[in-house]
Amino acid sequence: EDTSLQSQPLPEERNYGATAAQVSPGPAVSVSRSGPGRRGYLIAAVLCYGNLINFMDWFLVPGILLVVQKYFELSDGDTGLLQTVFILCYMVAAPIFGYLGDRYNRKIILGAGIFFWSGVTLSSSFITESYSWVFFLSRGLVGLGTASYSTVAPTIIADLFEEGKRTTMLSIFYIFIPVGSGLGYVLAAGMAEATGDWHWAFRITPCMGALALVLLILLVPHRTQRRTAAHRALSISGTIRVAAEKPGVHRAAKTTWCQDIVSLAKNWSFVWSSLGLTAMAFVTGALGMWIPLFLYRAQVVQGLVTPCVHEPCSSSNSLIFGGITIGTGILGVIAGAEVARRLRKINNKADPLICAASMFISALFLYVALMVAQTNILSTFIFLAFGELFLSVNWAVVTDILLYVVTPRRQSTAIALQILVSHLLGDAGSPYLVGIISNTIQAKHAHSFQWSFWSMQYSFILCAFVAVFGGGFFLLTSFYIEEDRKEAEQ
C-alpha cells in the first residue's frame, strides 16, 4: 500500500498485529513529503463510499418509522426497540472486530462485513407483517455487519496520511455519517412514496454494497501497512529510521488484549472524550429514530395534517429531516475540522474545547426546538437544523483526538472500545428509553393526539440535558490531552 514510506514493511507490520518485535539497528530511510499519492486518495474514496452505504442502512427504518409502526402494529416502546436491537448487536461485535483489525488482514474483514450486512438488508425486504420478530432479528444482524466497517476503516485512513492530511481525510470520511444518515431517510421515504410499499426501501443499498465490495477487491491492497508512532512523528522532518540508533532498543513491546484495555483505561483523554461521544450518541440516536414521528404528531396537533390510521402514511417529514441532516452534516464536519485546524496553532487544547462548546450550543437549540414544536413547525425545523449542525462539528474532531492520544498499535482496539461504550450507554438505549417514557406518560392519560405529542415532547427533553453532560466530559478531556498526546508520540 502506498503510504509514502520508501522502505519495505517492518517484520511486525507484515504480521498485521498490534505487537512489535525487537529489531536491530538500521539505516535512515528517506520519506517522501508528497503524501500518499493518487492510490492513497483512491483507497480513501472507496472507504468513504462504504461509509456512506453503512449509515444509509442505519437509518432506513427511521425514515419510514411511521409506516413500519403501523405495518407491524408496534407501540412506541417496541418501535424504539428496533434501533436498540441494531445498536446492541453493533456494539457487541465492535470489540471483536477491533481485536481482529489490530491483528489480521483488514481488507478481508471489511469485505466480509459489507457482503454480510448487504445480504441481510436485502433479505429483510421480503418480511411480512406476521413475522415482526424476524424483522427485529434482521436489524440485529445488520448491526453485526456494519460494526466491522466502522471499527476498521478509519485506521486504514489514519495509516495512509500524515497528521495534517489525516485530519482532512478523516473529516471527509466522517462527513458521510450525516450524509449517509440523511440519504437513508430520503431513500427510504422516497421509495415508500414511489412504490407504495416500504419493503422497496431495503432493496437499493444492497446493490450499492455490491459495488462497494467490487471496488474494495480491485483497489484496496491485500496488505495494508501500518505506521508506527515513530513513523508518524519523524515523517514530519523528512526522514525516518526503521530501527533504533542504539542496539537493544525495542520499538514496541508485545502486549495482550487485556493489557491494551488496561492502558486505554488509564488514558484519561481517551476516557473522557469517549464519554463525551457517548452523550453525542445518546442524543443523535434518539433524534434520528423519533424526530420524523415527533414532527408528524406536532403537525397533527396543529391541524396541518390528518391522522394516518392505516399505512401507507406520508413520509414528507423524513424527506425534509433527511435533507437537513445531509446539509448540516456536511457543513458541520467541514466547519469543525477547519476551526480545529486553525485553533490548534494557538491552543493545544483546541479540539476538546471545540467539542465542549458545540455540545452546549447544540443542547440549547434542541431544547428550544422542542418547546416551539406545538406552535410553529417551521421554527422547529430551523432550531433542529442548528442543533444538528453543532452536533456534527464533533464527528471528525473526536476521532482525531483518539488517533493522537492512543498509540497506533492500539487504535483499532481503542476505536472498538469507544464504539462499545458510546453505544452501550448512548444510542443503544436512548431510542428505547424515549419510547418507554412516552408509553408511560400516555398510559396515565386518556388516549388523544395531544397527549401522544406531549408524551414524546417530554421524553425528548432528556436529550438536551444529556448534551450538557457531554459538553462537561469534553471540558474534562482538555485537562489531560497535552500529556496524553506526548505520551502517545513517544
Side-chain angles (χ1 to χ4, degrees):
E1 181 178 68
D2 183 6
T3 60
S4 80
L5 297 176
Q6 303 300 316
S7 63
Q8 293 296 319
L10 295 171
E12 66 272 22
E13 294 169 332
R14 296 177 190 227
N15 197 36
Y16 305 105
T19 61
Q22 178 179 350
V23 294
S24 60
V29 182
S30 124
V31 177
S32 170
R33 294 172 183 251
S34 61
R38 293 182 180 178
R39 183 68 179 275
Y41 288 109
L42 193 59
I43 293 170
V46 172
L47 296 176
C48 288
Y49 175 66
N51 205 34
L52 174 73
I53 304 167
N54 185 353
F55 281 89
M56 286 179 68
D57 274 326
W58 275 52
F59 288 92
L60 290 176
V61 170
I64 50 175
L65 189 62
L66 179 60
V67 183
V68 171
Q69 187 178 41
K70 297 290 184 182
Y71 185 80
F72 290 113
E73 298 181 353
L74 302 175
S75 66
D76 283 354
D78 291 337
T79 304
L81 192 60
L82 268 174
Q83 198 75 344
T84 295
V85 168
F86 176 93
I87 299 297
L88 282 173
C89 293
Y90 175 87
M91 72 179 191
V92 168
I96 299 173
F97 287 114
Y99 177 88
L100 297 175
D102 276 340
R103 290 160 176 81
Y104 300 100
N105 190 287
R106 294 178 288 185
K107 177 179 178 178
I108 294 177
I109 295 172
L110 291 179
I114 293 173
F115 178 81
F116 181 77
W117 96 63
S118 296
V120 174
T121 299
L122 180 61
S123 300
S124 67
S125 70
F126 299 99
I127 298 173
T128 63
E129 66 269 21
S130 303
Y131 296 92
S132 59
W133 65 272
V134 178
F135 190 70
F136 277 82
L137 176 62
S138 71
R139 295 309 296 164
L141 293 177
V142 172
L144 290 177
T146 57
S148 64
Y149 201 90
S150 297
T151 305
V152 175
T155 65
I156 297 179
I157 291 181
D159 288 338
L160 284 171
F161 300 92
E162 296 175 6
E163 184 172 354
K165 291 183 179 178
R166 185 179 74 228
T167 302
T168 301
M169 296 310 298
L170 283 172
S171 300
I172 295 173
F173 180 81
Y174 282 103
I175 279 176
F176 288 95
I177 292 179
V179 170
S181 303
L183 284 177
Y185 286 105
V186 172
L187 173 65
M191 290 302 298
E193 292 273 354
T195 64
D197 182 2
W198 64 268
H199 291 86
W200 278 97
F202 294 86
R203 294 169 185 169
I204 303 300
T205 54
C207 299
M208 299 174 66
L211 176 59
L213 184 59
V214 172
L215 293 175
L216 183 75
I217 294 172
L218 295 178
L219 300 177
V220 178
H222 184 69
R223 292 178 178 266
T224 52
Q225 179 175 309
R226 301 174 186 273
R227 293 185 182 214
T228 64
H231 283 147
R232 289 177 180 166
L234 295 179
S235 62
I236 297 173
S237 64
T239 61
I240 185 169
R241 297 189 178 276
V242 297
E245 292 292 342
K246 296 181 181 180
V249 175
H250 290 69
R251 291 179 51 82
K254 291 184 178 181
T255 58
T256 65
W257 185 80
C258 291
Q259 289 173 324
D260 289 345
I261 297 299
V262 171
S263 176
L264 291 171
K266 295 178 180 179
N267 186 325
W268 287 108
S269 295
F270 171 75
V271 170
W272 292 122
S273 63
S274 295
L275 290 176
L277 181 62
T278 299
M280 285 177 55
F282 185 98
V283 175
T284 56
L287 294 179
M289 186 67 178
W290 290 111
I291 279 296
L293 186 57
F294 171 75
L295 293 171
Y296 158 77
R297 292 181 180 180
Q299 290 170 330
V300 170
V301 170
Q302 293 181 40
L304 300 177
V305 299
T306 57
C308 177
V309 180
H310 302 287
E311 58 96 16
C313 304
S314 173
S315 302
S316 59
N317 288 318
S318 294
L319 292 170
I320 297 173
F321 185 66
I324 290 174
T325 301
I326 294 171
T328 58
I330 294 174
L331 182 59
V333 172
I334 293 175
E338 182 61 20
V339 171
R341 185 183 68 83
R342 292 177 181 272
L343 291 185
R344 282 176 197 152
K345 298 176 182 178
I346 58 176
N347 189 335
N348 293 330
K349 301 179 180 181
D351 287 351
L353 293 178
I354 290 170
C355 292
S358 65
M359 289 296 289
F360 291 139
I361 297 172
S362 177
L364 177 62
F365 279 118
L366 291 176
Y367 181 80
V368 175
L370 295 175
M371 293 300 101
V372 302
Q374 186 173 348
T375 57
N376 193 316
I377 203 69
L378 177 59
S379 297
T380 304
F381 275 117
I382 293 173
F383 284 112
L384 279 175
F386 279 107
E388 282 208 304
L389 174 66
F390 283 97
L391 279 177
S392 299
V393 164
N394 292 349
W395 284 118
V397 181
V398 172
T399 302
D400 208 29
I401 290 174
L402 181 149
L403 291 173
Y404 64 66
V405 300
V406 175
T407 185
R409 60 193 172 89
R410 292 192 178 109
Q411 284 177 356
S412 286
T413 298
I415 292 175
L417 184 61
Q418 192 174 77
I419 287 173
L420 175 63
V421 173
S422 63
H423 292 302
L424 176 64
L425 303 178
D427 54 353
S430 62
Y432 183 59
L433 182 60
V434 169
I436 287 296
I437 294 174
S438 178
N439 274 354
T440 303
I441 295 174
Q442 290 183 53
K444 295 180 179 180
H445 302 86
H447 175 72
S448 67
F449 292 114
Q450 182 69 66
W451 273 109
S452 179
F453 165 75
W454 278 340
S455 64
M456 188 149 289
Q457 182 187 46
Y458 298 154
S459 303
F460 264 138
I461 293 176
L462 177 63
C463 294
F465 288 101
V466 171
V468 173
F469 278 104
F473 290 135
F474 283 121
L475 281 181
L476 289 171
T477 305
S478 67
F479 295 131
Y480 301 94
I481 195 156
E482 291 179 292
E483 179 182 347
D484 290 334
R485 180 171 188 168
K486 291 177 182 177
E487 185 175 346
E489 290 176 348
Q490 291 176 355

